[in-house]
Amino acid sequence: EIVLTQSPGTLSLSPGERATLSCRASQSVSSSYLAWYQQKPGQAPRLLIYGASSRATGIPDRFSGSGSGTDFTLTISRLEPEDFAVYYCQQYGSSPETFGQGTKLEIK
Amino acid sequence: QVQLQESGPGLVKPSQTLSLTCTVSGGSISSGGYYWSWIRQHPGKGLEWIGYIYYSGSTYYNPSLKSRVTISVDTSKNQFSLKLSSVTAADTAVYYCARCGDYGEYYFDYWGQGTLVTVSS
């Protein structure tokens, strides 16, 4: 199975700053079948990005995804207070579908 | 707007079978085009895909759990269910039901709120 490694484990930033989250796969993710989710405490994950770079419905354009092969990035251009949460990547190009261990984005 | 809601016991004894149901509203499972999934999250940990089912009954399971998992669908009730047998404390987790697409689009766009299942005697 494809193992996804997210870095950093925790990212401490201030509102208004730019956040860059990384997701590295143990082998190439076919067709850029990679998604990003946001999870807040006590809530289910929320789909942000699919196909590595396509925003899900209703997701603000400050969220963007990029990458291909084994290296993917989620960028939040200007952090809003509601963006502080845990972010997960997921690959769905190879079964079983797998998730990264998460990056916690916390307020500095 | 599709909504999913998990239901089932919050406490299961070791060696018994965990059973959960997901009720879908705002859309019909029978319409096709989507797989209906179970995902779990151990306390304070990441996410683990358990498996999914198509309205026709075709199932796909995570090999790590395949020997203990059964997912079924009841289109007349617009529900799908999870059974996990021979549970241990390691199966304590929040269990989510979710929807994912077909034709390779296996990302999860709608989720239930999740239900905590604790395995303990």
Side-chain angles (χ1 to χ4, degrees):
Chain A
E1 72 178 45
I2 295 179
V3 176
L4 299 178
T5 302
Q6 292 185 242
S7 61
T10 302
L11 185 57
S12 299
L13 293 170
S14 300
E17 290 192 294
R18 180 186 186 91
T20 303
L21 287 66
S22 174
C23 177
R24 178 163 290 178
S26 59
Q27 53 189 281
S28 184
V29 177
S30 63
S31 303
S32 294
Y33 282 161
L34 188 109
W36 289 93
Y37 301 85
Q38 176 194 69
Q39 187 177 35
K40 296 181 180 179
Q43 296 184 16
R46 172 194 181 197
L47 177 68
L48 300 174
I49 301 286
Y50 62 93
S53 61
S54 297
R55 270 188 302 277
T57 302
I59 301 303
D61 61 7
R62 65 180 182 272
F63 291 90
S64 63
S66 63
S68 64
T70 60
D71 290 297
F72 298 87
T73 300
L74 174 70
T75 301
I76 310 171
S77 58
R78 291 175 310 280
L79 286 166
E80 297 287 342
E82 61 268 26
D83 298 336
F84 292 91
V86 179
Y87 291 82
Y88 294 96
C89 57
Q90 176 227 343
Q91 69 79 24
Y92 51 97
S94 172
S95 188
E97 287 75 347
T98 51
F99 293 85
Q101 84 281 12
T103 288
K104 182 179 181 180
L105 180 54
E106 64 176 25
I107 299 177
K108 187 175 182 179
Chain B
Q1 177 82 345
V2 174
Q3 293 185 311
L4 298 91
Q5 177 68 58
E6 305 89 351
S7 59
L11 181 64
V12 181
K13 289 181 167 49
S15 80
Q16 294 191 341
T17 296
L18 178 160
S19 296
L20 296 173
T21 295
C22 183
T23 300
V24 179
S25 58
S28 173
I29 288 179
S30 301
S31 62
Y34 299 101
Y35 282 85
W36 303 92
S37 313
W38 289 98
I39 296 160
R40 69 180 183 179
Q41 185 169 34
H42 293 102
K45 301 294 185 183
L47 298 155
E48 180 180 29
W49 171 69
I50 299 171
Y52 45 52
I53 191 165
Y54 203 58
Y55 78 95
S56 61
S58 297
T59 53
Y60 300 86
Y61 300 137
N62 191 323
S64 68
L65 296 167
K66 186 175 183 178
S67 63
R68 299 193 293 130
V69 172
T70 302
I71 298 176
S72 58
V73 64
D74 185 339
T75 55
S76 67
K77 295 182 178 178
N78 221 31
Q79 296 176 333
F80 62 105
S81 298
L82 169 70
K83 291 188 184 302
L84 182 64
S85 63
S86 306
V87 297
T88 69
D91 295 308
T92 293
V94 175
Y95 286 76
Y96 295 100
C97 57
R99 186 186 84 167
C100 69
D102 197 353
Y103 304 110
E105 301 296 335
Y106 305 127
Y107 52 85
F108 305 99
D109 58 355
Y110 288 96
W111 297 65
Q113 65 185 25
T115 187
L116 174 62
V117 178
T118 302
V119 178
S120 175
S121 55

